């Protein structure tokens, strides 16, 4: 189960990519927007701020996250559904927006096809994908998990993350106007414990769910130690935590 409170405790760090992506979309007159994998509604808030008069539908599978989204944005329609499946019954949209969601879907070609199916002509597909597999923190988690479990496990068994060239090839089947870019966000953290708390809201969840209850505390302790070795403390005691994210916009 997703923890909306924990996820939202790092609101500043989590909402900025959504804000950045919305302002790379040039469309001003937008009637309908679909926020796929909207979670607690952070990405929906960014969309609402950019297009205040547009109809926005947020879709997610987590009822806990949707409850938080509805509490924050009561004027927005939120629906509970598996977003890896077709969503044509929701109608047509001018923008299909996907923030930090696609990495959870193994068949991303089908998801992209589903998204373009519901786009109006000249509509925009916009996505942000955490490139977590390319980050040192991912190695910290994998190595800690394998130490606790005593076996070999790879993050590719949990997340599906392609590189820029692969995403371009996937999208070029549906669009002739594609922009792709990567941004490193340097989060200033108070401690390595804060990095661990940040990761516990997303990336650590699948690993914790695979462990026995009496293994979780040891696992988190090993992850924290590895984070401390990997991310040096600054002179003022803060820790710079670099988070790499890939962005895509593609016009139908």
């Amino acid at each position: 189960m997703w923890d909306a409170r924990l996820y939202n405790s790092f609101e500043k760090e989590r909402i900025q990519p959504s804000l950045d992506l919305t302002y790379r979309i040039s469309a001003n007159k937008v009637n309908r927007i679909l926020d796929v994998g909207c979670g607690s509604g952070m990405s929906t808030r960014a969309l609402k701020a950019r297009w205040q008069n547009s109809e926005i539908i947020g879709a997610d599978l987590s009822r806990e996250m949707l409850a938080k989204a509805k509490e924050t944005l009561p004027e927005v329609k939120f629906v509970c559904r598996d977003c890896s499946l077709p969503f044509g019954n929701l109608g047509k949209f001018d923008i299909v927006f996907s923030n930090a969601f696609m990495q959870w879907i193994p068949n991303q070609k089908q998801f992209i096809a589903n998204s373009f199916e519901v786009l109006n002509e000249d509509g925009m597909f916009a996505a942000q994908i955490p490139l977590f597999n390319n980050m040192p923190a991912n190695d910290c988690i994998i190595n800690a998990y394998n130490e606790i479990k005593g076996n070999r496990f790879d993050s590719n068994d949990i997340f599906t993350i392609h590189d820029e060239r692969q995403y371009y090839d996937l999208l070029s089947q549906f669009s002739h106007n594609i922009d792709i870019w990567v941004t490193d966000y340097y989060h200033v953290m108070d401690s390595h414990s804060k990095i661990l708390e940040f990761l516990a809201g997303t990336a650590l969840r699948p690993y914790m769910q695979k462990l026995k209850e009496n293994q979780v505390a040891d696992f988190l302790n090993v992850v924290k130690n590895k984070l401390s070795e990997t991310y040096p403390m600054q002179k003022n005691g803060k820790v710079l935590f670099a988070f790499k994210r890939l962005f895509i916009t593609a016009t139908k």
Side-chain angles (χ1 to χ4, degrees):
M1 179 180 292
W2 285 89
D3 186 337
R5 179 202 59 79
L6 178 60
Y7 184 86
N8 281 20
S9 64
F10 291 92
E11 180 176 339
K12 175 186 174 184
E13 290 81 5
R14 297 197 192 283
I15 199 172
Q16 191 60 53
S18 292
L19 292 169
D20 293 344
L21 183 55
T22 60
Y23 281 94
R24 283 291 292 264
I25 300 173
S26 58
N28 290 314
K29 184 174 176 53
V30 174
N31 293 318
R32 300 188 81 225
I33 304 170
L34 177 61
D35 187 7
V36 185
C38 65
S40 64
M42 278 193 198
S43 52
T44 322
R45 281 175 49 202
L47 292 165
K48 193 66 177 174
R50 175 76 166 82
W51 293 283
Q52 297 179 16
N53 298 320
S54 300
E55 178 190 359
I56 302 176
I57 296 178
D60 201 277
L61 189 57
S62 170
R63 294 189 183 278
E64 182 185 9
M65 296 290 258
L66 286 174
K68 182 63 178 177
K70 292 175 183 178
E71 177 185 316
T72 305
L73 294 166
E75 72 277 19
V76 173
K77 179 181 179 180
F78 291 98
V79 295
C80 185
R81 63 187 296 145
D82 184 346
C83 296
S84 67
L85 301 176
F87 30 83
N89 64 309
L90 296 177
K92 292 289 187 177
F93 297 89
D94 301 301
I95 297 172
V96 173
F97 195 87
S98 169
N99 181 69
F101 170 71
M102 286 178 62
Q103 72 274 13
W104 300 103
I105 306 175
N107 191 346
Q108 295 185 6
K109 179 179 180 180
Q110 186 58 56
F111 171 73
I112 291 171
N114 293 342
S115 298
F116 275 86
E117 182 182 359
V118 300
L119 278 174
N120 291 319
E121 198 66 29
D122 295 324
M124 178 75 73
F125 174 78
Q128 182 270 121
I129 303 153
L131 295 179
F132 197 70
N133 289 6
N134 296 342
M135 293 172 49
N138 182 59
D139 295 331
C140 294
I141 295 172
I142 292 294
N143 292 335
Y145 181 85
N146 288 333
E147 283 185 25
I148 297 297
K149 292 288 285 186
N151 61 2
R152 297 303 303 169
F153 187 81
D154 192 276
S155 61
N156 291 326
D157 295 327
I158 292 178
F159 304 112
T160 300
I161 302 174
H162 302 301
D163 62 27
E164 297 89 335
R165 296 173 63 88
Q166 290 171 306
Y167 280 117
Y168 182 86
D169 285 340
L170 285 174
L171 288 158
S172 62
Q173 300 174 55
F174 305 94
S175 172
H176 295 290
N177 184 11
I178 303 168
D179 284 327
I180 299 179
W181 69 98
V182 174
T183 300
D184 286 324
Y185 291 85
Y186 283 83
H187 302 314
V188 180
M189 297 295 197
D190 290 334
S191 64
H192 294 97
S193 295
K194 282 295 182 182
I195 298 178
L196 187 70
E197 187 178 337
F198 177 86
L199 294 173
T202 51
L204 281 169
R205 289 182 64 255
Y207 300 95
M208 293 167 64
Q209 291 170 351
K210 289 178 176 292
L211 292 169
K212 297 178 181 178
E213 188 175 347
N214 62 358
Q215 294 177 313
V216 172
D218 289 340
F219 168 65
L220 294 176
N221 189 53
V222 175
V223 173
K224 180 184 173 183
N225 290 339
K226 292 185 180 298
L227 290 171
S228 299
E229 296 169 0
T230 304
Y231 295 90
M233 191 173 288
Q234 300 299 121
K235 292 181 179 180
N236 65 353
K238 304 288 187 179
V239 184
L240 287 181
F241 180 51
F243 205 107
K244 187 181 295 290
R245 298 179 184 271
L246 181 143
F247 295 83
I248 299 166
T249 61
T251 305
K252 182 173 179 177

